[in-house]
Amino acid sequence: MSSIVAVCQFRPTASRADNRARIAEFTADAAARGARLVVFPEYASYFVDPMDATLRENAETVEGDFVRALQATAAAHGVTIIAGLVEAAGDRVRNALVAVDADGLRAVYRKQHLYDAFGQTESDWIEPGVIESPQTLDIDGLRVAMMTCYDLRFPEVARTLVDAGADVIVVPAEWVRGPLKEHHWTTLLAARAIENTVYVVAADHPTPVGVGHSQIVDPQGVVRAGVGTGEGIAVAEVSADAVAEVREVNPVLRSRRYRVIPR
């Protein structure tokens, strides 16, 4: 069992309509290359740098225009789309990921670890997601799970997703630039893949705000496809057989003496 996945490295803006249009364009291109899962960055629905009160003004529910547009685009091309949504949540907003196909919303993930680091305070604007059982979805016989950007620095997040059966972990991000941040990004993507024997499919913003380097990493930590620092698309095959083969020769999951216990 295998599937083709695409990471779309694009630059979301403060125009929600333009973002939806760009997503439709990127999805058409990815689908033409055979992609069945198309992944976009964090904050794909709306983004400003630095963050400000317009986040709340432009937040949407999971029944809003953004998800409806994703559904229409997914239906037009026969794909599943995962993208970042600024979700309405009262005085603050939630940093959410939505997985959408022709039938509608398949799964939602709300960022748990907010980016209060390296001089940034995402919690000024964002409400953290509740820790709950992971939502997963199956695409062509592969189980897909999601986490967001700064979550990548916390190994227990990925471990929880793998314990829920994930073969592929999708990581939409806005990985802010800074000293050695490109190194942190690529190292952590490979580490999460290797230690969990899963594919990691990561979509970032391009420079100058993000670091770029969106990648599809296999269970051995090898980059199967990637983008540089500008906008672009990378496409690669992911295979359940490859996951099984790596786990057979490297039974790290079976050998664990400590397991993540959901709250």
Side-chain angles (χ1 to χ4, degrees):
M1 295 177 288
S2 64
S3 189
I4 305 295
V5 301
V7 287
C8 298
Q9 186 165 289
F10 97 109
R11 186 176 291 105
T13 69
S15 170
R16 289 185 287 161
D18 285 352
N19 293 337
R20 295 193 297 267
R22 296 294 311 284
I23 287 170
E25 293 170 3
F26 274 103
T27 301
D29 191 346
R33 303 187 198 188
R36 295 271 295 139
L37 170 64
V38 186
V39 179
F40 289 90
E42 180 182 23
Y43 293 113
S45 70
Y46 180 83
F47 184 69
V48 287
D49 179 45
M51 293 182 182
D52 59 27
T54 63
L55 280 174
R56 184 170 59 250
E57 296 164 9
N58 287 276
E60 304 181 33
T61 69
V62 294
E63 293 84 24
D65 292 342
F66 185 69
V67 171
R68 286 198 295 269
L70 293 188
Q71 182 177 1
T73 299
H77 300 288
V79 299
T80 300
I81 299 172
I82 293 177
L85 166 69
V86 179
E87 184 187 17
D91 292 337
R92 291 189 289 175
V93 300
R94 296 189 188 97
N95 185 339
L97 302 178
V98 291
V100 181
D101 65 11
D103 294 325
L105 188 66
R106 294 279 305 280
V108 180
Y109 173 77
R110 296 172 176 93
K111 189 176 185 179
Q112 295 174 3
H113 297 89
L114 301 183
Y115 187 58
D116 288 359
F118 298 94
Q120 305 285 324
T121 51
E122 191 177 34
S123 62
D124 286 347
W125 309 102
I126 309 296
E127 174 183 296
V130 175
I131 297 175
E132 57 188 0
S133 297
Q135 295 186 33
T136 63
L137 60 152
D138 291 332
I139 299 174
D140 296 338
L142 290 137
R143 182 163 293 181
V144 178
M146 303 179 287
M147 64 180 177
T148 311
C149 197
Y150 194 54
D151 287 326
L152 186 65
R153 291 186 179 271
F154 300 86
E156 61 272 19
V157 179
R159 191 61 51 84
T160 301
L161 301 180
V162 172
D163 284 346
D167 305 299
V168 179
I169 295 177
V170 171
V171 190
E174 197 288 281
W175 198 265
V176 179
R177 294 186 74 193
L180 296 176
K181 292 294 292 299
E182 293 91 342
H183 174 63
H184 292 187
W185 169 245
T186 55
T187 299
L188 290 167
L189 292 175
R192 298 295 88 86
I194 293 167
E195 69 194 8
N196 293 294
T197 56
V198 292
Y199 287 93
V200 174
V201 178
D204 191 25
H205 290 216
T207 59
V209 178
V211 302
H213 298 291
S214 299
Q215 298 180 355
I216 300 163
V217 184
D218 76 11
Q220 294 274 40
V222 177
V223 177
R224 292 299 180 178
V227 185
T229 57
E231 292 192 323
I233 301 174
V235 177
E237 182 180 26
V238 297
S239 165
D241 290 341
V243 173
E245 289 169 6
V246 172
R247 290 180 178 175
E248 182 63 30
V249 298
N250 179 22
V252 60
L253 299 182
R254 297 200 306 269
S255 300
R256 278 188 286 155
R257 298 186 66 190
Y258 306 99
R259 298 183 65 84
V260 172
I261 301 174
R263 293 185 180 180

